[in-house]
Amino acid sequence: MALLQISEPGQSLDPHQRRVAVGIDLGTTHSLVASVRHGVAECLPDEQGKVILPSVVRYLDPAQGGAGRQIGHDALSAQAQDPANTISSVKRLMGRTRAQVADVEKLSYDVVDADGMAVVKTVAGNKTPMEVSAEILATLRFRAEDSFDDDLFGAVITVPAYFDDAQRQATKDAAQLAGIEVLRLINEPTAAAIAYGLDNGAEGVYAIYDLGGGTFDVSILRLTQGVFEVLATGGDSALGGDDYDQALAAWVLEQAGQGAGALDASDRARLHREARRVKEALSGEDVESETFAVNLSSGTAIGQAVTPGEFESCTKPLTDRTMRAVRKVLRDADVDAQDIKGVVLVGGSTRMPVIRRTVGEFFGQTPLTNLNPDEVVALGAAIQANALAGNSQEGDLLLLDVIPLSLGIETMGGLVERIVPRNSTIPTALAQDFTTYQDGQTAMSLHVVQGERDLVADCRSLAKFTLRGIPPMAAGAARIRVTFTVDADGLLSVAAKEQISGVEASIEVKPSYGLSDEQIASMLQESFATAEEDMAARAVVEARVDGQRMIVATQSALTADAGLLSEKERQNIDERMKVLQAFLDNQAASAAEIEAATESLAKGTEAFAAMRMNKGIQQALSGRKVEEV
Ligand code: ADP
Ligand code: MG
């Protein structure tokens, strides 16, 4: 049967052919789906009219012949009754091992490691974080398909700016399990900026403060000519409203003279729920106090009035932590608080008056809050999805994100050659040329590392691969171009290509586990603290590598052409080689000493090199046809 062409490729689609593209905020606590309809982004409601889907999945005992699982509100209601099989905050486990999950022992369910990642033990067997997230994503996908009565073309899914490769990859895998085509992963704060249409506003530098249920992100964006650039991102992927709940519950228990030791899992779930209710009630206008009331399994009844002031003071360390991250990200972006043109508050936890006040005071201005803070991220993602699906009339919105830590490769002597510097905007592709170290070297192993330190040993190893089939050449003759490509989702691939022969090898970097924020923070801290030390160490290592290379080259030249030298010339070279070797063998030798000895050997072999070159040319010319030369 012949195909009928109904529209030119690339032409804009008529309204009936619009592709259904959605933005999904896959939150720690809540998830939402939004889409652009009639030019306006809006969150899609479920059958009950609710737009928020609690990010909670409960697995039922298959032996009971149960339907399998409950998702969202039903699961949330069942949490206190069946905490061990009801999974909330699964986002904290994405792309992590058990050891990397902050406060893992405080979760109401059992987390174990299987196949190198954290998984949840349930009555229905082990569940990976990707499977659990896929349940949430699929629920939102069906909601969108029902609402448009059409298949989903694709989705933009948001992730915290601090998510590393492994966490982003896990999110993509979850989407795939849910049968969703991922148009792009974008950072949550970035999505919020789009939702506020900051791109239509005044040019300048903006701060996005996003305090959700389980994550805190702060980003500094610069808007120039309708284009956003993320200057820096920071935050803490294990700090959010949940921690405020925990802090409040702990304070109430203390007031009631209750130790936390006697609590069982269902007590903890009940306390958490009540803490959250009280916290949210205290955000209301002119609330003087709210009663925290819970009956524990032990029979103890707790009833404690909490005032806004008491709540603020028992959670102050958490609020202070967010402000420390704000100051740090401003330093990273190299801007002052006064230079910030606008501040956007995102995430349900920014409804807390103490947050609005603290952030407002710090920046000396009233933050933007007119959009619903729970919905902002999904709305921005929807606008981006609409553009990526080719539905939007306006030109594509260009958004640039950054990578949190530098990427580079290991070079001789265990040094790091940085190829993509920290806070580079992505997507990006950067290349650098390297060469072989030894004559006739036919393979080169590449070691991809992440971090700010100069020595490989102090950075994090991401991947190793080998480039083989380099044609044998003199040391330093091969040209190996190493290209780092970081795609718009923040995923890295590294390719190496020998330019003369064209042989190449590449690797996609999907680390099996991620780094915690504390690790990122401490790696950065160390790199600042040790910059001087590193530089000195680097200079010594570099001098050693150069010196060693000089000796290897001289030895190989002597093996080939010692006959060109007189006795005296030979002695002179040997002498200088011995001096250099002595410095190389001495661990205490300074960079300057090694460099001077290397320089001296180089000088001493200059005449020899010239003789060899002449000999080479003569050899090439004699006894050969012209075409061969
Ligand atoms: P996430 O992005 O992590 O899924 P959300 O942005 O949906 O989180 O925020 C959820 C958090 O916001 C929860 O900790 C919730 O208790 C908190 N929250 C929602 N409304 C309020 C409120 N009125 N006052 C204080 N906290 C609130
Ligand atoms: Mg959020």
Side-chain angles (χ1 to χ4, degrees):
M1 196 167 77
L3 285 173
L4 282 181
Q5 191 176 7
I6 51 177
S7 75
E8 285 291 321
Q11 239 176 22
S12 71
L13 306 161
D14 81 41
H16 301 292
Q17 292 180 298
R18 266 187 101 257
R19 293 156 161 172
V20 177
V22 296
I24 294 180
D25 174 2
L26 183 60
T28 311
T29 325
H30 297 138
S31 296
L32 298 95
V33 58
S35 190
V36 174
R37 263 202 253 227
H38 314 297
V40 181
E42 55 187 32
C43 287
L44 307 177
D46 65 9
E47 280 161 1
Q48 276 86 51
K50 293 180 184 153
V51 296
I52 280 181
L53 177 72
S55 306
V56 185
V57 179
R58 177 190 180 198
Y59 288 92
L60 304 172
D61 187 352
Q64 307 286 317
R69 65 230 181 291
Q70 293 174 316
I71 299 159
H73 296 283
D74 294 347
L76 184 61
S77 319
Q79 187 161 38
Q81 157 208 338
D82 187 17
N85 299 300
T86 308
I87 305 165
S88 57
S89 300
V90 71
K91 193 170 174 179
R92 289 185 166 190
L93 312 187
M94 296 283 271
R96 293 288 165 110
T97 61
R98 186 177 190 280
Q100 291 173 317
V101 179
D103 294 337
V104 70
E105 63 291 334
K106 288 194 193 144
L107 295 169
S108 66
Y109 46 83
D110 244 3
V111 177
V112 295
D113 277 322
D115 300 325
M117 65 175 145
V119 302
V120 184
K121 240 166 115 171
T122 76
V123 273
N126 283 356
K127 299 292 171 189
T128 66
M130 287 84 97
E131 282 174 272
V132 180
S133 299
E135 298 288 0
I136 298 158
L137 288 170
T139 305
L140 296 174
R141 172 187 156 203
F142 298 141
R143 187 190 287 184
E145 292 184 337
D146 287 349
S147 146
F148 287 96
D149 198 14
D150 196 357
D151 288 344
L152 185 63
F153 171 73
V156 166
I157 301 179
T158 58
V159 290
Y162 248 88
F163 259 27
D164 64 17
D165 270 8
Q167 293 166 300
R168 284 168 200 260
Q169 191 59 50
T171 306
K172 278 188 149 179
D173 292 346
Q176 197 188 356
L177 284 176
I180 294 173
E181 167 78 21
V182 179
L183 300 172
R184 185 170 294 186
L185 299 181
I186 65 172
N187 287 340
E188 288 157 10
T190 300
I194 305 175
Y196 266 101
L198 292 183
D199 47 322
N200 304 320
E203 302 207 333
V205 181
Y206 295 87
I208 317 291
Y209 177 108
D210 177 352
L211 187 60
T215 55
F216 172 58
D217 278 292
V218 52
S219 294
I220 307 298
L221 311 187
R222 180 168 55 206
L223 175 70
T224 10
Q225 295 166 350
V227 175
F228 281 120
E229 184 188 357
V230 184
L231 294 182
T233 64
D236 190 335
S237 67
L239 173 62
D242 288 348
D243 300 289
Y244 282 77
D245 304 341
Q246 305 282 7
L248 175 59
W251 181 81
V252 168
L253 283 178
E254 197 187 304
Q255 298 303 304
Q258 285 283 321
L263 303 172
D264 63 21
S266 92
D267 280 340
R268 278 201 290 272
R270 245 178 265 141
L271 282 165
H272 190 179
R273 238 172 113 89
E274 179 64 357
R276 186 166 167 174
R277 188 194 64 76
V278 170
K279 169 190 76 175
E280 292 179 9
L282 288 172
S283 293
E285 260 173 71
D286 304 325
V287 177
E288 278 168 17
S289 92
E290 180 71 20
T291 302
F292 191 116
V294 153
N295 295 319
L296 300 179
S297 329
S298 61
T300 314
I302 290 182
Q304 168 79 41
V306 185
T307 66
E310 285 165 337
F311 173 71
E312 282 177 24
S313 67
C314 76
T315 56
K316 187 165 184 303
L318 302 170
T319 307
D320 289 348
R321 257 167 80 190
T322 72
M323 297 315 292
R324 273 204 294 280
V326 168
R327 282 191 288 272
K328 180 171 180 311
V329 80
L330 285 172
R331 276 200 304 277
D332 272 356
D334 201 16
V335 293
D336 289 334
Q338 306 92 273
D339 301 335
I340 299 292
K341 184 149 241 155
V343 183
V344 178
L345 293 187
V346 184
S349 299
T350 62
R351 287 215 176 84
M352 291 187 284
V354 59
I355 298 294
R356 297 186 172 199
R357 202 177 58 238
T358 309
V359 173
E361 279 166 8
F362 179 80
F363 286 103
Q365 60 180 297
T366 310
L368 290 170
T369 51
N370 48 312
L371 288 177
N372 188 333
D374 316 304
E375 295 185 2
V376 179
V377 168
L379 296 175
I383 295 169
Q384 185 78 358
N386 196 52
L388 289 172
N391 292 334
S392 94
Q393 304 300 317
E394 309 101 65
D396 259 5
L397 190 62
L398 186 54
L399 268 163
L400 305 169
D401 278 341
V402 298
I403 54 160
L405 289 171
S406 302
L407 300 166
I409 66 168
E410 173 169 0
T411 59
M412 286 305 298
L415 290 181
V416 178
E417 185 65 36
R418 220 160 281 154
I419 298 192
V420 186
R422 159 180 156 67
N423 275 331
S424 295
T425 53
I426 55 170
T428 188
L430 289 169
Q432 204 150 309
D433 285 350
F434 294 89
T435 188
T436 46
Y437 179 66
Q438 274 173 342
D439 287 343
Q441 188 177 335
T442 59
M444 187 184 218
S445 69
L446 291 110
H447 182 194
V448 183
V449 298
Q450 181 177 46
E452 308 311 308
R453 300 286 300 273
D454 279 347
L455 299 178
V456 169
D458 299 324
C459 288
R460 173 173 178 240
S461 167
L462 288 182
K464 284 183 179 162
F465 69 107
T466 307
L467 176 65
R468 291 180 205 286
I470 303 171
M473 285 180 243
R479 282 275 155 272
I480 292 139
R481 175 151 303 173
V482 177
T483 309
F484 275 54
T485 310
V486 185
D487 72 11
D489 302 324
L491 295 176
L492 168 69
S493 52
V494 180
K497 182 175 184 179
E498 203 289 307
Q499 301 292 96
I500 300 166
S501 60
V503 294
E504 54 191 316
S506 67
I507 192 165
E508 249 184 62
V509 182
K510 287 182 196 164
S512 52
Y513 55 86
L515 289 176
S516 70
D517 293 347
E518 288 75 35
Q519 282 170 301
I520 291 184
S522 81
M523 283 167 87
L524 289 176
Q525 200 81 52
E526 270 171 39
S527 80
F528 292 136
T530 55
E532 240 167 76
E533 219 176 275
D534 270 12
M535 240 150 65
R538 186 180 185 103
V540 174
V541 175
E542 270 172 358
R544 279 184 185 283
V545 169
D546 284 347
Q548 194 62 50
R549 175 183 279 157
M550 191 67 216
I551 287 189
V552 169
T554 308
Q555 272 164 346
S556 101
L558 286 173
T559 312
D561 288 318
L564 297 173
L565 296 170
S566 70
E567 185 80 359
K568 204 172 153 223
E569 285 165 335
R570 172 69 194 249
Q571 265 176 12
N572 181 19
I573 291 177
D574 282 346
E575 188 50 45
R576 290 175 195 233
M577 236 186 338
K578 240 182 22 227
V579 172
L580 174 56
Q581 191 60 56
F583 279 120
L584 292 176
D585 292 341
N586 175 4
Q587 286 312 310
S590 72
E593 285 168 331
I594 300 169
E595 276 163 13
T598 306
E599 186 57 35
S600 145
L601 177 58
K603 276 248 147 45
T605 54
E606 261 169 20
F608 180 38
M611 288 181 230
R612 295 189 70 214
M613 203 132 80
N614 286 339
K615 180 186 159 207
I617 292 170
Q618 261 154 23
Q619 260 174 1
L621 291 175
S622 65
R624 289 203 198 184
K625 294 203 205 88
V626 176
E627 306 84 272
E628 282 178 349
V629 177

